[in-house]
Amino acid sequence: MSSIDSRGTGTAVPVRRDPVHEAADDLCSAVLCSLRRKDQREKGRQYVRGLLALPGRKSMRGIAGQFGGGAAEQSMHHFISGSTWDWEPIRASLAGFLQAATPLTAWVAQPLAIPKGGEHSVGVAHRFDPHQGQMFRGQQAFGTWFASAGLVTPVGWRMHLPEGDGPEPLEPADAQAAYEESAAAAVIETVRRSGIQRPVVLDIQRIGSRSTMNRFAEAGLPVIARIGPATPLLVTDPALPGHGAGARPARDVLQAVKGLCTPVEWTDPDPTLPGGRHRSTLAVAVRVMMPDPSPARRRHLLLVGEWTDPRRPPAQLWLTDLVRLPVGPLLRLTKQGRRVGFAAEHSGREAGLRDFAGRALPGWHRHVTLASVAHAARALTATEHYAAA
């Protein structure tokens, strides 16, 4: 693209291209088509552009200021919080667009705790966060992230609003059950709407392991879940220590077979770590079952253990129903969660995933949907797939 030199010489002066904004425009053209009116599609594009252009915290005033004054802010506020357009078709279209560009490796469930004070944002309450093991005041959300070889980016969201939200926090046991239900439902809903069946990677080390695994089995979704070291398991391989001895803590099961570990290479998403991004850790997989009062619900699973230091207990423990995969691919699959965690902390902040401050839940859904489009635009510009398209 070029323009005429302002000196009138007729010399073509190249116009600097912004690949992120070009990717955003392409994405908006593809995924906002469910918005019936042209002015809605344009406001959606402007909102995504504003999220990308605005440094720091993304406010409605700052986003609208990219395109106009006070009237623009009022109009944009209505588009996000007061309109009636449905965000789910946009999320499904985003997943489809990404699948065509860089096919999905795994879905990753990523909790998003957003500390907030005051009473003026949707879903703010005193909450128990099982992942952190502590109380905090703010919002709890769950993102379902699309993880491929080329990128990681969120495509589905759910705000955790357990029954009993109010000035008094729920009891930890009740809060944990509600949290577990929201976490599983968030992923299952997104995968069903997208129509793309791939393994789900999630962390359930401090929530109900058996009930969560059963929930995904009932939904027909393969899963690899991080579990706590005390999770009780039954060894089903007669050649291994512990077979027939009843339920044992997962850590003890793995410690008994540590001599069978093999090195597995993988790539760390954090480029700032010393020693480069290439890592090698020791791992082993053991055939197990989860004890269940109902024999019909006992399924063959694999327990995967990873050691960063062979002199210490396993650093990570994972449970999966992908029983035919070797330990190397299984361990590398778990690293999709590490990629997503890194992206949620860094590029997620740039896209404004945590920055909605309105009172209405539909407004939050519309904001995080368009922030996901903005995040995807940034992620796509870093892939060879988009550059070659």
Side-chain angles (χ1 to χ4, degrees), residues 97-312:
F97 186 99
L98 295 170
Q99 175 70 1
T102 170
L104 181 68
T105 300
W107 297 106
V108 178
Q110 176 70 18
L112 191 71
I114 310 170
K116 283 182 181 286
E119 306 290 340
H120 303 298
S121 296
V122 61
V124 172
H126 291 286
R127 301 179 179 279
F128 178 75
D129 183 354
H131 286 277
Q132 301 298 324
Q134 63 186 18
M135 299 297 298
F136 80 105
R137 180 170 180 79
Q139 300 164 317
Q140 273 185 331
F142 300 100
T144 303
W145 289 60
F146 182 106
S148 71
L151 57 78
V152 291
T153 194
V155 298
W157 290 96
R158 183 183 179 98
M159 177 78 79
H160 178 38
L161 298 172
E163 293 182 9
D165 255 0
E168 296 298 323
L170 292 175
E171 292 297 322
D174 295 333
Q176 179 171 310
Y179 185 98
E180 176 191 331
E181 169 68 19
S182 289
V187 184
I188 292 169
E189 287 172 5
T190 297
V191 176
R192 283 176 173 169
R193 289 181 182 275
S194 74
I196 307 171
Q197 292 282 106
R198 292 293 188 278
V200 175
V201 180
L202 73 161
D203 185 342
I204 58 173
Q205 61 175 327
R206 290 192 178 96
I207 64 177
S209 301
R210 186 176 68 198
S211 55
T212 302
M213 294 293 289
N214 287 339
R215 180 77 183 272
F216 280 94
E218 291 164 2
L221 292 178
V223 64
I224 182 163
R226 186 183 179 196
I227 61 171
T231 303
L233 296 171
L234 302 166
V235 176
T236 61
D237 188 338
L240 295 181
H243 179 259
R248 304 175 64 200
R251 176 186 50 222
D252 294 351
V253 172
L254 289 171
Q255 284 289 88
V257 296
K258 185 167 63 174
L260 301 177
C261 283
T262 57
V264 177
E265 295 184 353
W266 50 279
T267 303
D268 198 294
D270 187 352
T272 65
L273 291 176
R277 297 176 62 182
H278 295 290
R279 299 281 183 267
S280 179
T281 47
L282 296 173
V284 69
V286 183
R287 285 188 287 162
V288 296
M289 281 184 178
M290 300 194 81
D292 195 299
S294 171
R297 303 186 75 169
R298 294 178 186 172
R299 297 178 298 121
H300 290 284
L301 303 167
L302 282 179
L303 171 63
V304 179
E306 178 187 18
W307 281 261
T308 53
D309 183 345
R311 297 165 298 182
R312 300 179 64 84

Side-chain angles (χ1 to χ4, degrees), residues 346-375:
H346 294 82
S347 53
R349 187 184 302 114
E350 296 174 0
L353 293 176
R354 294 176 171 88
D355 291 343
F356 182 73
R359 298 173 182 264
L361 183 60
W364 176 81
H365 275 290
R366 295 187 185 104
H367 167 82
V368 292
T369 298
L370 295 177
S372 297
V373 175
H375 189 282

Side-chain angles (χ1 to χ4, degrees), residues 77-95:
H77 184 273
H78 175 77
F79 173 69
I80 295 296
S81 295
S83 188
T84 59
W85 56 270
D86 188 358
W87 51 85
E88 290 294 357
I90 294 175
R91 295 175 182 179
S93 294
L94 177 59

